[in-house]
Amino acid sequence: MPKRVYNFCPGPCTLPYEVLEETQSELVNYKDTGMSIIEHSHRGKHYDEVHCEVVDLVRELLAVPDEFTILLIQGGATLQFAMSAMNLLTPDDKAGFVNSGHWAKLAMKDAKVYANVYTAWDGSAENFSRSPKAEEIELESDTSYLHVTTNETIGGVRLFEWPDIGVPLVADMSSDYLSRPIPWELINVAYGGAQKNIGPSGVALVIVRKSVLETKPRELPSYLDYRRQHESGSRFNTPAVFPIYVAGKVLKYYKEHGGVEEFAKIARIKSGHVYDAIDASDGFYDCPVQGESRSFMNVVFRMPSDKLQSDFQEQAESVGLVNLGGHRSVGGLRASIYNSMPMEGAETLANFMSEFRAANSK
Amino acid sequence: MPKRVYNFCPGPCTLPYEVLEETQSELVNYKDTGMSIIEHSHRGKHYDEVHCEVVDLVRELLAVPDEFTILLIQGGATLQFAMSAMNLLTPDDKAGFVNSGHWAKLAMKDAKVYANVYTAWDGSAENFSRSPKAEEIELESDTSYLHVTTNETIGGVRLFEWPDIGVPLVADMSSDYLSRPIPWELINVAYGGAQKNIGPSGVALVIVRKSVLETKPRELPSYLDYRRQHESGSRFNTPAVFPIYVAGKVLKYYKEHGGVEEFAKIARIKSGHVYDAIDASDGFYDCPVQGESRSFMNVVFRMPSDKLQSDFQEQAESVGLVNLGGHRSVGGLRASIYNSMPMEGAETLANFMSEFRAANSK
């Protein structure tokens, strides 16, 4: 095994080493076909197997009921901000948004192009330090759906309670997909970019309740129409072959290692190591997110000075703990600890934090 | 070198062997960073180098003037059918379309969602056997742009003359991008999926005249707005890292092997071998496309019976000439001979065609 770092990047992010090795070994000559998987036709049997296996694994790992279709669409979660609204809402319809931070705001802005949107709960007054309880969410009458961001990658805020409040949910799950079970009875659409818990960047996993496709709220061009994507199995044009192919390997790895329930437990333990280091630091490390809203995927924290923060990053990097900077919009530090981060990575980081504090606190 | 076939797939398609080998060698540990390029942040310096190099190589290889911005957008050419229309036209504007076949029709259908469209030249009466001369194209007054498909991948029809008729062009170049110089003075937008002459599937190369971005014809969500893509260097959300990374290697390969002018010459020679085999066959092989409209990328032909066609494909496959079936909508045979197909591949196919004819014609 060549030199390998612990990569805490928020996405694209670390992938299982086994997946990278297998991808490498197959890259030039896939299954002795005399060509790479990226040279195969997206309508040929080899890619067909890859594609269908990804869909089947998603259905199995997330226990997706038959009433939902599983789509693999390019453009990331950002394109889904728009697609979910244009496919589900007429211009007169109304959708509520839980404003939990950066990504929720962007989702709302794009949806506004297509329909009426309003803030059903606003975390800004508390500086986005928590997610709401269901009873705090204020729905207006005739709301078609409530949009939630199940994990704010930048703010490190987790939606700890799925709101069961009489309207279906549209959920951006980009940064905690496959790390928690999904209550499908509450969901109309779940979507997310692959580049955190699913695979490389370049594809979004979009899971849509089929009944919402029965009425078409507006004319839509082919790529942006969930109905066309559904009817064609996400393949009326050429899909993102390589990202989907690697996603299949990641999903297989999850299955072999215990599935979503197991990764949910592990996520709590891994992030717990880092939160423990924060909470035991007498304020040397400070996490702005409150208790049960703390993300199991993205642990954000700050230190008493910018100097300490940059020393921390530099020294961490020198021992192979990399990409710990916070998002450029908020600064500070952030450890993204997705499914593919080994337990040892989280432990090593927590130990490093304790040592760094011992060496640098007065 | 492992077993390698000649892959005549219309896309995804064959890539330079050197590119695959280099991609493989770097896959697990990119530039000794302890991680794969697909695990690197899209905002980090390593991916930044990759991304900027692709843009620079496109500008150099296609001699793209500074008045154009070079975008890398997911969703393939199909999403550009819609994006080009929604970004350039108000609902009252009008665009003309050269109906050269399958892809032109789909482009027109999607554009129709956003504006007025009309057929400015119709190849259907001649069964899409040729492209038009400029003087045959009939523009209506107040036409904002003329849409052309520079190469019909399914029909094997090449736009041999760029229409210089007083309105700017929007050009779908998916299947002959990088195989011919582009007359930028006539162009407002050129676009195309990567998976033929650029790299793996998962990204489209979209080149837009900056002046058309000065007015915004409608509200647009972030991903679909050329202005946002331009301002952010195609990176306000996570781009398709791996497809862009491999595209960079392909483009470097083109540069090292003489650039677009050279590949244009080679394309003529390679496809010429196959057209010669067709034309020397006394009608055993029949190409429905007329003279100068014959594609240099996709050579389509038919044989006297379905039985012969399936024997041909089977025997070709047994000698390593694969993916020669025509598109499911038209049947017959098709040899896609993109930039990365070696000269020997085209020669071997032409020889095989002569031998097969000798063995099977009465």
Side-chain angles (χ1 to χ4, degrees), chain A residues 23-330:
Chain A
T23 302
Q24 182 175 50
S25 73
E26 293 176 352
L27 196 91
V28 169
N29 187 8
Y30 183 72
K31 294 197 173 175
D32 205 31
T33 54
M35 60 176 103
S36 175
I37 186 67
I38 57 177
E39 298 174 291
H40 270 280
S41 170
H42 61 296
R43 308 217 179 268
K45 74 171 180 171
H46 291 284
Y47 178 71
D48 187 59
E49 278 171 20
V50 164
H51 193 101
C52 293
E53 187 173 29
V54 168
V55 171
D56 291 347
L57 282 164
V58 167
R59 196 171 289 284
E60 182 181 347
L61 285 164
L62 285 173
V64 182
D66 287 344
E67 301 92 273
F68 288 79
T69 182
I70 295 171
L71 309 175
L72 301 167
I73 303 179
Q74 296 176 54
T78 300
L79 184 55
Q80 295 311 312
F81 296 163
M83 279 182 73
S84 55
M86 72 174 82
N87 275 279
L88 268 57
L89 301 169
T90 71
D92 295 329
D93 285 341
K94 203 194 285 182
F97 279 70
V98 170
N99 180 15
S100 48
H102 183 91
W103 295 108
K105 279 186 274 191
L106 291 182
M108 187 167 169
K109 186 162 172 270
D110 278 351
K112 194 167 181 240
V113 174
Y114 298 99
N116 301 303
V117 296
Y118 69 92
T119 303
W121 181 82
D122 193 351
S124 65
E126 293 173 67
N127 208 18
F128 301 114
S129 59
R130 68 176 184 93
S131 61
K133 285 178 180 297
E135 66 256 31
E136 296 177 285
I137 297 168
E138 292 179 18
L139 288 183
E140 296 182 7
S141 59
D142 301 321
T143 294
S144 296
Y145 63 74
L146 178 71
H147 183 281
V148 294
T149 309
T150 57
N151 187 74
E152 284 281 350
T153 322
I154 293 174
V157 174
R158 178 177 192 263
L159 186 78
F160 61 87
E161 184 175 287
W162 293 90
D164 182 3
I165 52 175
V167 298
L169 304 178
V170 170
D172 174 4
M173 301 202 63
S174 293
S175 52
D176 66 357
Y177 239 161
L178 274 302
S179 80
R180 64 195 295 181
I182 299 174
W184 292 108
E185 70 281 5
L186 303 178
I187 303 284
N188 268 2
V189 178
Y191 66 84
Q195 68 275 12
K196 285 96 159 69
N197 273 334
I198 301 171
S201 65
V203 68
L205 172 61
V206 186
I207 307 178
V208 182
R209 186 181 290 275
K210 289 177 198 163
S211 61
V212 305
L213 304 181
E214 282 161 19
T215 53
K216 193 168 170 175
R218 55 169 51 71
E219 275 309 300
L220 291 165
S222 50
Y223 198 83
L224 301 175
D225 188 346
Y226 282 157
R227 294 144 202 86
R228 287 297 307 280
Q229 295 281 3
H230 166 57
E231 288 155 14
S232 65
S234 315
R235 274 186 285 174
F236 69 88
N237 77 336
T238 315
V241 166
F242 183 84
I244 293 169
Y245 155 75
V246 178
K249 296 187 186 299
V250 173
L251 296 170
K252 243 183 290 183
Y253 175 91
Y254 291 169
K255 183 176 169 181
E256 286 161 7
H257 288 76
V260 167
E261 296 280 356
E262 181 65 16
F263 278 92
K265 275 185 223 159
I266 294 173
R268 200 177 275 265
I269 297 169
K270 288 189 297 189
S271 60
H273 287 311
V274 183
Y275 286 121
D276 286 349
I278 292 169
D279 293 339
S281 75
D282 276 331
F284 183 78
Y285 300 113
D286 176 54
C287 170
V289 184
Q290 298 173 29
E292 56 190 346
S293 296
R294 285 180 167 184
S295 170
F296 300 157
M297 297 285 113
N298 312 97
V299 181
V300 300
F301 55 104
R302 295 184 161 278
M303 294 168 62
S305 74
D306 288 347
K307 171 78 168 66
L308 277 172
Q309 289 184 162
S310 76
D311 287 353
F312 179 94
Q313 279 188 74
E314 199 177 297
Q315 290 177 34
E317 199 166 317
S318 73
V319 297
L321 302 164
V322 309
N323 286 327
L324 285 161
H327 190 263
R328 62 199 187 288
S329 65
V330 292

Side-chain angles (χ1 to χ4, degrees), chain A residues 4 15 24 39 110 222 239, chain B residues 4 15 24 39 110 201 222 239:
Chain A
R4 179 96 174 138
L15 294 170
Q24 182 175 50
E39 298 174 291
D110 278 351
S222 50
Chain B
R4 180 95 174 137
L15 294 169
Q24 182 175 49
E39 298 174 292
D110 278 351
S201 66
S222 51

